[in-house]
Amino acid sequence: MYHARSIVSKIKHSDVAWDAELKTLTEQVKPEWKQNWYDGLGFCTWNGLGQRLTEQAVLDAVGTLAEHKVNVTSLIIDDNWQSIDYKGDGQFQYGWLEFEAEPKAFPNGLKSMVSRLRKQYPDIQHIAVWHALLGYWGGISRGGKIDQAYKTVEVIREDSKRRNLPLGGKMTVVAKEDVARFYDDFYRFLTEAGVDGVKTDAQFMIDMWTSASVRRDLIETYIDVWTRASLRYFSVKAISCMSQFPQAMFHSQLPQDRPPLLVRNSDDFFPEIPASHPWHVWANAHNSIFMQYLNVLPDWDMFQTVHDYSGFHGAARCVSGGPIYITDVPGKHNMQLIGQMTGITAKGKTVIFRPSVLGKSIYPYTGYDDDLLLKVGSYHGGSQTGTGILGLFNISARPLLEMIPLADFPGVMAATEYVVRAHNTGKVSKPAKPGASDSLTAMSLDVRGYEILCAFPLTSYSGLKRKDGRTCTLGLVGKMTGCAAIVGSSVRQRENGRVLATTRLKALGVLGVYVSTLPDMTIDGDFMATMQDKPVPRHCVSISRRSECVLEVDVEAAWNEMGLDSGRGDEVEVTVTFDT
């Protein structure tokens, strides 16, 4: 893959201005833009609202989310908002008529609806719309406004053998000469309507044309034009869907001279097909082994929080390192699960907790039918000082029991001691080193069962009143990947023996601090917790009911009670000081 990358990097675009503009657009992307787009909770209309969208259905859905206090920061208006001719055998034959939304379903136009959404729900920072790379599934409608405004050509595509979809036959697409003008006009229309992101689907379609000359002339044209247009109008706020085919992967997703692109990492989430759910997570975990080498952020697709596999999917999204967005039926929300995946920042934003390393299967050659737990490994933080993450999923049709070695956790060091914390049970292991006889964790999961284990490196301290001990910060203990809430942490011991464990957090919640000598200590006699250098109320500090060695600080309750201000930043600093 590195060799392929070096080859691709030497290929210059035939249009010199293309490379120059790409460089300029890339330099303009700010880090906070990426963070706002990747790290918020999103809502997609597809499964939740179904097809044949209407303006009222979208407005009602967003209103219901707000009523239930589901604070989404990104809204994706999926398929079927467009003006479509509805001719032919189903959606794969339908053609696109014009840029404006379907006039009967959206009588006031796209801009009017987007303006209402932004005015009524200011917490929604981004509004994106779905479209196919070629316009719609069946391309452009003959005789429609788009067909009349741009030069088009008729091409032939083959049928899908894998899923027996009626994709074959003739379709009309914008010709090579007008693709750039077509995308420029379309994205300008969306921008003027208040849309600031796109989900561009059905990209594989350009690889299904039967004519070699058509593929030669149009594949790179469409890929390049879309890459440049999406960056020009939406910066990083674009999702590339159904684009896991060689031309897209190696031509536009491998190069490193542009911002990482959100790329759908698998087939769809199918809520009504039970057998699809374990396969969906397994396929994403294994696809990520390859996708890690591309300049992309794998997107494991949306899911529903009220579903037999809702926690299973939620845990998978949390360890994936990618975005999280839901497609709940309005009013049907698992608030407990949403609370485990998200947090509220000091300034009131909703964020998710993405590990800094992409999640992927740690055993590439374990088969789907091998009756073994799927192990998705990830990592958060700096080298040697960060947290190894292991998501465990029972994809089998029967309960499974396995012993999980500490050495399986990504990033663990042989000479370092760790404690392993389980999210669902809240249990924390005894300190151990990778490879030691006591470094195994027994894990029993029922069908559809899942667990997230995190391995935290320990810092030793010398005991003056009592025996020597070890400590570490566990992050936000109520979150699936609460370790990813840690922006930075440090442990130091003063000459008088006092230990200071300082943690900077990206969101509010309950902070956990592991202290091996805690069973021999008292909160009133040995501990002091401060937040932004001010004492935390005593009732906000307690010993975990799940582990006798974990001190918990309710940062969210303390923050609200103390009326603190994070200043220009959006982080919270908590220091736990204790005597030894």
Side-chain angles (χ1 to χ4, degrees):
M1 292 302 296
Y2 293 133
H3 181 61
R5 184 183 298 167
S6 68
I7 293 174
V8 171
S9 67
K10 296 173 184 176
I11 299 174
K12 299 299 181 182
H13 200 276
S14 57
D15 180 0
V16 177
W18 194 93
D19 286 327
E21 183 181 13
L22 181 64
K23 184 175 185 297
T24 300
L25 292 171
T26 299
E27 291 172 348
Q28 292 174 350
V29 175
K30 298 180 180 179
E32 58 267 28
W33 293 356
K34 298 180 186 179
Q35 187 177 35
N36 287 341
W37 175 239
Y38 300 151
D39 291 353
L41 177 66
F43 175 79
C44 182
T45 63
W46 180 242
N47 296 111
L49 300 186
Q51 299 185 20
R52 297 296 179 98
L53 287 177
T54 66
E55 176 180 338
Q56 196 58 51
V58 175
L59 292 171
D60 289 346
V62 176
T64 302
L65 289 171
E67 290 173 7
H68 285 77
K69 301 188 184 306
V70 181
N71 299 313
V72 299
T73 57
S74 299
L75 171 66
I76 302 172
I77 301 171
D78 214 289
D79 192 0
N80 276 199
W81 64 271
Q82 304 95 325
S83 296
I84 307 164
D85 62 12
Y86 296 108
K87 295 178 181 178
D89 182 20
Q91 73 177 55
F92 300 109
Q93 304 295 327
Y94 296 162
W96 196 25
L97 290 164
E98 61 174 313
F99 294 158
E100 186 55 86
E102 207 285 320
K104 292 182 180 179
F106 297 82
N108 300 306
L110 183 64
K111 182 176 182 177
S112 173
M113 183 189 69
V114 172
S115 297
R116 287 183 62 183
L117 287 169
R118 292 196 179 279
K119 183 178 181 180
Q120 294 178 25
Y121 308 102
D123 287 342
I124 297 179
Q125 300 173 38
H126 307 296
I127 297 178
V129 296
W130 180 100
H131 72 89
L133 181 66
L134 300 173
Y136 201 68
W137 295 100
I140 306 302
S141 178
R142 294 300 298 270
K145 290 184 178 180
I146 296 175
D147 183 42
Q148 296 174 19
Y150 305 95
K151 182 179 180 181
T152 58
V153 294
E154 194 173 78
V155 297
I156 299 175
R157 55 182 172 172
E158 62 186 21
D159 273 318
S160 171
K161 299 180 179 64
R162 184 175 67 87
R163 287 172 60 183
N164 196 30
L165 297 177
L167 295 173
K170 296 178 181 179
M171 67 184 304
T172 300
V173 300
V174 175
K176 180 176 182 177
E177 298 91 326
D178 270 1
V179 174
R181 183 167 67 91
F182 162 73
Y183 260 100
D184 196 56
D185 291 346
F186 177 41
Y187 280 3
R188 187 183 299 111
F189 164 80
L190 292 180
T191 302
E192 291 173 353
V195 172
D196 66 344
V198 287
K199 174 182 176 182
T200 306
D201 208 345
Q203 298 197 26
F204 73 98
M205 203 81 74
I206 59 179
D207 190 38
M208 296 187 69
W209 291 324
T210 58
S211 168
S213 61
V214 169
R215 295 198 302 273
R216 179 197 62 204
D217 289 343
L218 291 183
I219 285 181
E220 287 191 5
T221 297
Y222 269 95
I223 291 175
D224 286 344
V225 167
W226 180 76
T227 298
R228 182 165 57 174
S230 60
L231 266 175
R232 182 190 299 152
Y233 286 95
F234 307 120
S235 184
V236 295
K237 299 185 292 294
I239 304 173
S240 177
C241 288
M242 290 189 174
S243 58
Q244 289 181 312
F245 60 99
Q247 292 90 336
M249 285 180 161
F250 289 95
H251 182 72
S252 67
Q253 297 172 13
L254 183 62
Q256 304 292 303
D257 60 348
R258 61 203 68 179
L261 177 66
L262 266 181
V263 173
R264 268 283 300 282
N265 195 48
S266 72
D267 204 345
D268 291 4
F269 162 77
F270 296 109
E272 72 284 358
I273 304 177
S276 72
H277 301 290
W279 169 257
H280 182 95
V281 172
W282 188 90
N284 270 291
H286 282 74
N287 284 351
S288 292
I289 297 171
F290 178 81
M291 299 296 281
Q292 68 178 315
Y293 295 105
L294 305 181
N295 186 28
V296 305
L297 186 62
D299 168 9
W300 289 30
D301 200 21
M302 67 195 90
F303 74 101
Q304 293 179 331
T305 66
V306 177
H307 190 276
D308 288 345
Y309 277 90
S310 59
F312 193 90
H313 278 290
R317 303 311 186 273
C318 286
V319 300
S320 75
I324 300 176
Y325 43 94
I326 60 177
T327 181
D328 287 354
V329 175
K332 295 183 179 181
H333 313 290
N334 184 336
M335 297 306 299
Q336 183 181 16
L337 177 59
I338 293 173
Q340 293 177 60
M341 298 186 299
T342 65
I344 306 297
T345 71
K347 292 190 179 300
K349 294 181 180 179
T350 299
V351 294
I352 63 172
F353 304 106
R354 278 195 314 115
S356 49
V357 173
L358 297 177
K360 57 185 178 292
S361 172
I362 64 171
Y363 289 125
Y365 304 111
T366 299
Y368 179 70
D369 298 314
D370 286 352
D371 276 349
L372 292 171
L373 296 176
L374 170 66
K375 303 170 184 68
V376 182
S378 184
Y379 188 85
H380 182 74
S383 174
Q384 302 183 34
T385 60
T387 304
I389 303 170
L390 206 58
L392 304 174
F393 303 89
N394 186 355
I395 59 172
S396 173
R398 65 180 182 85
L400 295 176
L401 169 65
E402 287 189 36
M403 303 299 289
I404 310 299
L406 180 56
D408 275 0
F409 287 77
V412 296
M413 309 294 291
T416 302
E417 274 194 314
Y418 296 84
V419 289
V420 175
R421 182 180 185 276
H423 166 71
N424 286 333
T425 65
K427 293 181 179 179
V428 178
S429 71
K430 293 181 179 180
K433 292 182 178 180
S437 59
D438 58 350
S439 66
L440 296 172
T441 300
M443 184 55 53
S444 176
L445 293 178
D446 289 331
V447 176
R448 299 198 302 269
Y450 65 92
E451 181 60 279
I452 298 177
L453 304 178
C454 293
F456 297 91
L458 294 168
T459 299
S460 299
Y461 55 84
S462 301
L464 299 183
K465 300 178 183 178
R466 51 185 70 85
K467 61 183 178 181
D468 295 347
R470 285 145 292 185
T471 186
C472 67
T473 298
L474 303 174
L476 297 182
V477 294
K479 312 300 180 181
M480 284 184 165
T481 45
C483 61
I486 300 174
V487 179
S489 64
S490 64
V491 177
R492 56 193 175 94
Q493 186 170 20
R494 291 176 174 169
E495 293 182 357
N496 63 4
R498 302 207 83 189
V499 174
L500 287 79
T502 300
T503 309
R504 287 185 295 115
L505 298 167
K506 67 182 290 186
L508 307 175
V510 177
L511 172 67
V513 179
Y514 173 84
V515 182
S516 63
T517 54
L518 182 56
D520 300 324
M521 306 164 75
T522 64
I523 295 177
D524 293 325
D526 298 297
F527 285 90
M528 177 67 182
T530 62
M531 188 160 56
Q532 313 293 76
D533 294 326
K534 294 184 179 180
V536 171
R538 170 63 182 83
H539 64 270
C540 293
V541 184
S542 61
I543 297 174
S544 171
R545 291 178 294 178
R546 295 180 171 185
S547 175
E548 63 178 1
C549 292
V550 175
L551 185 81
E552 294 184 346
V553 181
D554 193 335
V555 176
E556 186 168 12
W559 182 269
N560 294 331
E561 184 176 328
M562 296 166 68
L564 299 176
D565 187 349
S566 62
R568 289 187 176 182
D570 202 9
E571 298 173 1
V572 178
E573 184 173 281
V574 182
T575 298
V576 173
T577 306
F578 58 90
D579 291 324
T580 60

